Amino acid sequence: MAEEYERNGKKNARMRVIFSNGTEGDNLKRSLATELYKDQNGRRISDPKTQGLFSNQSSEEDIGTGTIYVLKSQSDHARIEPIRNYLHKIGVTKGSVKQRIANAETQPTYLMAPVEVVAEFSIYNIKASKIEKLLHRYFDQARADITIDDRFGTTVRSTEWFFVLPQTVKEAVDLLISGELGNTYYDPKAAKIRMLSERGS
């Protein structure tokens, strides 16, 4: 990075940027940051000792940004009741989980039935919606394809339910905290998390 300068009260600098395909650029630092923020998969490594995306231990400086929750349906619907012990909803809320699931029986996303909270995990210092998308993508192979009629008789597809046990979600969250989730994948046939090195072996 070249010498920093200030313009309009903002610091900037010309950089030598080397991309993964071998090409190079002389981007401005602020321009590169803008592009990283646009990309949901963009990442910066600022400390090689970083221990993952968030911690299960909060400190005074930490900012609570939400809660990951795992729900079990109490539906007695003919299609849901036989599988509800294996079927769980993974979600994230910025407020209280209790408030989030109030009136669940009137909402298609909760399968028009009361739900039981079987696990909760607090999130600190990271956007809650990104964690939800990441976990949904991680367990995508176990996603349930459920359609249900809402209270107006309209058929609605609910996409946040997975054939995953709560302890497996906890294992994924622990791997996320440690920074190791990217080295693993979920095997729906074995109903377990495996190392990427095991794939194809």
Side-chain angles (χ1 to χ4, degrees):
M1 186 170 71
E3 187 177 344
E4 268 194 335
Y5 62 89
E6 191 169 319
R7 183 176 295 168
N8 300 323
K10 296 178 180 178
K11 291 183 178 180
N12 210 342
R14 186 65 65 180
M15 302 177 68
R16 181 189 180 200
V17 181
I18 304 172
F19 297 93
S20 59
N21 64 3
T23 60
E24 296 187 21
D26 60 348
N27 304 58
L28 287 169
K29 183 171 72 170
R30 292 184 64 81
S31 298
L32 180 64
T34 299
E35 293 305 312
L36 278 174
Y37 286 127
K38 285 181 184 177
D39 185 353
Q40 288 190 350
N41 296 311
R43 296 289 184 271
R44 295 184 296 176
I45 300 174
S46 56
D47 182 353
K49 296 178 182 178
T50 297
Q51 297 298 307
L53 292 175
F54 59 93
S55 173
N56 56 358
Q57 299 287 327
S58 61
S59 68
E60 289 182 7
E61 297 82 21
D62 287 338
I63 301 172
T65 54
T67 303
I68 301 169
Y69 58 82
V70 182
L71 305 177
K72 178 181 174 182
S73 178
Q74 299 297 303
S75 173
D76 57 4
H77 191 284
R79 283 189 291 115
I80 306 300
E81 188 175 18
I83 59 174
R84 69 185 186 188
N85 287 335
Y86 314 100
L87 187 68
H88 294 92
K89 176 177 166 63
I90 302 170
V92 173
T93 180
K94 293 180 181 178
S96 75
V97 176
K98 185 177 181 180
Q99 187 176 10
R100 183 73 179 88
I101 64 174
N103 303 314
E105 61 274 12
T106 66
Q107 301 178 44
T109 189
Y110 298 112
L111 308 181
M112 306 296 291
V115 292
E116 175 189 352
V117 181
V118 294
E120 292 184 42
F121 314 97
S122 295
I123 305 170
Y124 298 93
N125 305 323
I126 191 164
K127 195 173 181 180
S129 61
K130 287 194 174 185
I131 293 295
E132 183 174 54
K133 287 178 183 176
L134 193 154
L135 288 172
H136 286 184
R137 189 163 60 242
Y138 186 78
F139 289 115
D140 187 59
Q141 294 298 311
R143 192 186 300 265
D145 186 11
I146 299 175
T147 55
I148 198 160
D149 290 342
D150 67 13
R151 53 185 172 164
F152 303 108
T154 304
T155 301
V156 179
R157 175 169 272 110
S158 187
T159 61
E160 297 183 352
W161 292 84
F162 301 81
F163 291 106
V164 178
L165 295 176
Q167 57 265 33
T168 308
V169 179
K170 182 184 185 305
E171 186 181 351
V173 171
D174 289 341
L175 288 166
L176 193 58
I177 291 169
S178 69
E180 294 295 316
L181 189 68
N183 298 324
T184 68
Y185 72 100
Y186 182 67
D187 181 349
K189 291 183 179 178
K192 65 185 293 186
I193 291 174
R194 298 184 182 276
M195 299 299 295
L196 283 175
S197 58
E198 298 179 54
R199 215 166 217 166
S201 61

